[in-house]
Amino acid sequence: MSLVADINARIQVATDQNDSEALNQLLQELYQQGQDAERPYDAAIELKPEYRDELAAEGFESDAALNWANRIARSRRLVDYRVKMLTGFSGPQIVSEGDSWFQYPLLLSDIIDNFIAQNDLATYSLGAAGDLVEHMAIRREYHRALGTTGARVMVLSGGGNDLLGDGRLFDLLRPYHSGATADDLLDMPSLQAASQQILGYYARILADVRMNHPGVMIFGHGYDTPFPRKGKKHFGKPFEKAGIPLPVGRDVIRMIVEYFRERLVDLADQFPNFRFVDLTGTVGEHPNSWFDELHPQDTGFAKATEPLLSAVRTHLDGPASPLFESADPDGTATASPAPVRIVLDPGHGGTASVSGSSWNNALGPGGSLEKTWTLDVAKRTGKRLAARGLGAVLTRSNDVNLTSESRRNIARAIEAEVFVSIHFNASTGHNAQGTETYVHTRSGSARSIRLMRHVQAAMVSALGLTDRNRTRTHDGVLRGSFGVIRESGHSALTAACLLEVSFMDRIDEENRIRQDSYRDRIAEALATGIQTFMAGETGLESNMAISAEEPGDHEDAIAEHAARAGLTVTQYLGFAEARPIQVADAESTADDSRGQGHADGSVLANWETADTSDRAAADLVDQIARDLARHHQVSVSDPDAGEDRFLDAAQALILSGADQDARSDRTVLERAFGNARSDDGLESASFDFGAFRDFLDSLNLRHFTAAELLFLGNSNQSGPCAARNLLPPRDVWNNLAATACMLDEIRNLLGCPVYILSGYRSPAYNRCIGGKSTSGHLRFNALDWTAAEGSVAEWHRVATEIRAQRPEFNGGIGRYDTGRFIHIDTRGSRADW
C-alpha cells in the first residue's frame, strides 16, 4: 500500500472508531514545526523529511499533503464532540468556523481548543488553518452543522488570509521615505477596497444564517496586533525590503487590524444576529507573548479566549433570540415568518461612497436625502410583507453604505426569490416626474421582467404618476446597467429589479414624500407588487441570465444617465457647473430634459450611413459590429454574452455602450480597428473576418468574442506605434486555440469579466512596444489580460491551478503586479515569471 493510501486509511479508521488518541499520534508522527507558514494565518508546520521524500517519490505534491494536518485535527475534534454527546451531554452546543486562530493543528492550544476544554459546552469545529472567509461563504459547511447540532451560537474567525495572504501586504503599502509614519505608508484606498470584498463574504454568511437559522447568534472578533520579526516571511521581510523600520511596520499592522475591526463593528450594527467581541490588547504588548508573527503563545490564546467565551456564556444565559426582527419606522420590532426569501435593498446610505454605491444621489429642494427615504420605505414595506405572511430582510437597517456586491451577496446567500433595490430619482431640469422600474441591461430572465411589471403596475396605480416604462419603451421593459441587479451576481432563481419611485428633486414631490401617509402608500404598493408576483409563481425556472460585471455598472438611474452624458452626478443634477448634454440618437420625453439613448435591439441601428475615409476599415468595423450584435442577443447557451463591452478604459477596447448608442459604438470600433491592416500590409479588406469567427465558434468559447481576440492593442491606436500592428494571418490562428480555451476556463473560475490587453503582435509592432523577439504574441499563442475584480495574486493562483489540471494548457504564466495583468501562453513547456 502506498504511503498516501495508508495515511488516508488510518485517518478514516481512527475517525470511524472515535479514536482521538490515534489521530493525535498520527499528527505528531507526520508533522514538525516549520520555519514559516505558507500564508499569514496558516500553521507553521511541515511534513517530516522522511515523509516528504517518500511522497515526492510517489509524485504526490507536498503542499497538498499539508492539508492532512487540517483534516486530522478536524477529525480529532469531531471525535471529541461525538464522544461528549454519546456520554449524554445535554448542555449548549456551539459551531465554530474559522482560520488558524480557531484551529492551529499542532504546537499551540488555540481559541477553540480552549472552548472544547469547557465541560459545560460542546463545540462542533469546522475551522482550518489558512482558510479564507470567501471559502467559508461558498462551502457553507456551517449550514449543515447548525442544522445537525441545533446550536444557538456560532463563533466565526477570519479575514487575515483574505486580506494579507499571497503577498497582499505589498498592495497596501506606499513607498517609504525618511521620517515616514504609519499614516504615510498605509494606502487606505487599497485597504478599503480589499476589506470591502472580504466584508461582502462576511455579510453573505451572516445573511445566510439569519435567514436559514434565525435563532442563531454569531460571535466574531478581530485580531490583536502582532510584532513583525526580522527576516520573517509575512511582515519582517516585506518591511525590510521596503526600508520600513519594524517599529513603524508594527504601527502599520496596527492600523490594518484596527480598520478591519471597525468594519466588523459596522457589520454588527447592520446584522442583529452578529456580535463583535474586541480582542484588542488581550494577547499582550510584549513580543514574547507571540509564538510567531501572527499567532499568540498558549497563554495569549487563553487570554484572547476569555472575552469571547464570556460573551457567548452571557448570550446563552439569556432568552432565545426571536425568529427574525425587522425594525419599523417607529423603532418597534415585529417577528417575521421564516423562511425569508424576499430582499429589500434601500439604496445608498452612510456618509461615504463605496464600490458600486454612492452615499446619496437625489436631493430634495428642501434638503431631503434620497438615502433617508429609501430606508424608510423599505422598513414600511417589510412590515406590510410580514403582515401578509411573507418574510423579508433589508440589506441595511440603519444609515450605512454597502457595496453592490455586498447587497447582492445578502440575497445570494439565501437564494432569494425576489430582490428589489429601492431608489428615488432626479433630473437635470428638476421638472421630470413619473415612476420607472428596471431590469438589468443584459437580463435574460422572464421572472425578473415579470417582477418588474408587477412592481411598476402597482406603483403607478397607487401613486398616479406617469408610467415612464411605457413612455420610454415600446414594450414597457426598461433596462439599465445597474450592478446591484446584475443577475450573474445573484442566485439563478432570483428575480431582480430596481425601482425609481418618483422624482424627489421637485418641491411638490418632496412635500408629498415628507408625509407618512404618502410613504405608506408607496410601501403598500411595493408590497402588493411583490405579493402579486409571488402569487403568480408556478415554479422557479432558472433565470439563465446573460450578464457580466462591468466597470460601467451603475447604482441607479441618476448615475447611469450621468455617465452616459459624460458627467459626474453632481454636474448632471446641476449642483455644479455642467457642460451642455449631447445625447446622440436620443429619444426624449416632454418632462425630462436628460434625453435617453435608444437603439432598436441592434448595435447597427444607425451605422450604415456613417462616413469613413477608409472603406476597407469601415467594412471590417461593420463585420465586427454585426458579430457583437449577434453575441449580444439573449441566448441560454452563452451565459456571458456581451462581456466584450466592458474592457479596461486605460489599455483595452471599450464597448461599454454597445447596443445602446449606435453612433458612440461606431466611434469606439473605428478607433480600435480603423487603421487595421492584414498581413498583405495594405488594407483590412483582405482579412477574412467570417472565417475567423467560424474558427472561434469551433472552440466553443463561453466568454469571448472576435472583437476581443482581434484587439490590436492600445498602442496601435495612437503614439509612435500607431498602425504598426496587423490582423493575425490565417496560418497562426490555430496557435491561439489552447490559449483562448485556457483563458475561457480562467474567466469561468474567476466569475468576473476578463479583459484582453494584448493578443497578436506583428514583428514591427512588437519591436515598437519593446516586446521580446521570442514573444509568443508573434505566433498568436499568448494573451495578456486583466480582470474586473480581485487581485493579481488571485488571478495568478487561478491560472496556475488551471494549468496544472489540463495538460493542453502547459505553458508560460507571467505575473505583473505593477501593471496589474497576467500573461498566459501554451508553448508546451512550463515557464513562470
Side-chain angles (χ1 to χ4, degrees), residues 490-538:
H490 284 276
S491 164
L493 299 181
T494 301
C497 68
L498 183 144
L499 168 66
E500 295 280 1
V501 177
S502 63
F503 286 74
M504 63 170 282
D505 58 337
R506 296 166 49 128
I507 188 64
D508 56 342
E509 185 64 10
E510 182 185 34
N511 287 338
R512 279 190 290 267
I513 295 171
R514 289 180 183 275
Q515 301 171 17
D516 287 346
S517 59
Y518 187 69
R519 298 198 304 280
D520 282 339
R521 282 168 57 193
I522 297 171
E524 187 71 22
L526 180 52
T528 296
I530 293 172
Q531 183 183 32
T532 304
F533 165 78
M534 297 192 73
E537 291 286 89
T538 57

Side-chain angles (χ1 to χ4, degrees), residues 633-651:
Q633 294 169 358
V634 173
S635 166
V636 298
S637 64
D638 187 1
D640 286 285
E643 182 178 305
D644 56 283
R645 298 169 57 239
F646 317 126
L647 300 174
D648 181 76
Q651 298 189 39

Side-chain angles (χ1 to χ4, degrees), residues 164-440:
L164 300 174
D166 296 323
R168 295 188 186 99
L169 176 61
F170 284 108
D171 297 335
L172 306 181
L173 299 178
R174 293 194 179 109
Y176 179 75
H177 58 84
S178 179
T181 66
D183 286 323
D184 301 321
L185 298 172
L186 182 58
D187 186 343
M188 284 303 297
S190 295
L191 176 60
Q192 292 166 355
S195 298
Q196 279 297 331
Q197 186 173 11
I198 302 167
L199 294 167
Y201 287 113
Y202 257 99
R204 184 167 167 177
I205 294 171
L206 300 179
D208 186 15
V209 173
R210 186 182 181 191
M211 297 305 101
N212 293 295
H213 306 279
V216 173
M217 184 62 68
I218 301 175
F219 290 83
H221 70 89
Y223 305 97
D224 203 357
T225 305
F227 289 81
R229 297 186 177 184
K230 185 176 181 179
K232 290 299 181 179
K233 176 177 181 179
H234 299 299
F235 291 151
K237 284 184 178 178
F239 285 139
E240 290 166 10
K241 185 176 180 181
I244 298 174
L246 295 190
V248 179
R250 185 170 189 246
D251 289 338
V252 172
I253 299 170
R254 190 190 309 278
M255 288 183 65
I256 295 172
V257 169
E258 288 178 352
Y259 177 83
F260 192 66
R261 178 168 59 242
E262 290 167 1
R263 301 292 74 77
L264 291 177
V265 171
D266 291 342
L267 276 183
D269 290 337
Q270 179 191 346
F271 288 91
N273 66 325
F274 180 56
R275 294 184 183 172
F276 177 79
V277 180
D278 193 356
L279 303 186
T280 303
T282 55
V283 176
E285 285 294 312
H286 194 283
N288 290 341
S289 299
W290 293 82
F291 173 76
D292 56 23
E293 286 190 296
L294 291 141
H295 300 94
Q297 299 280 10
D298 287 352
T299 54
F301 266 134
K303 291 177 181 178
T305 303
E306 291 175 4
L308 189 59
L309 184 59
S310 176
V312 168
R313 289 192 184 282
T314 299
H315 174 74
L316 290 172
D317 290 340
S321 302
L323 286 179
F324 173 75
E325 288 190 353
S326 176
D328 296 334
D330 61 4
T332 61
T334 57
S336 176
V340 179
R341 288 293 181 263
I342 299 169
V343 176
L344 303 174
D345 172 45
H348 310 284
T351 58
S353 298
V354 296
S355 176
S357 180
S358 295
W359 73 276
N360 190 78
N361 272 350
L363 179 68
S368 296
L369 298 177
E370 178 186 1
K371 65 170 185 169
T372 303
W373 301 133
T374 59
L375 179 58
D376 182 277
V377 167
K379 288 180 176 181
R380 292 172 189 268
T381 304
K383 178 180 179 181
R384 282 157 177 79
L385 288 168
R388 301 177 189 208
L390 297 172
V393 63
L394 277 59
T395 57
R396 66 181 181 96
S397 57
N398 54 15
D399 190 21
V400 297
N401 199 7
L402 303 173
T403 66
S404 60
E405 181 183 21
S406 296
R407 296 170 192 261
R408 294 192 312 256
N409 277 344
I410 292 170
R412 191 182 185 99
I414 63 172
E415 296 186 342
E417 296 175 28
V418 168
F419 179 93
V420 179
S421 190
I422 304 168
H423 295 263
F424 285 85
N425 219 333
S427 68
T428 54
H430 309 302
N431 59 355
Q433 192 48 282
T435 298
E436 51 193 34
T437 310
Y438 293 81
V439 293
H440 195 272

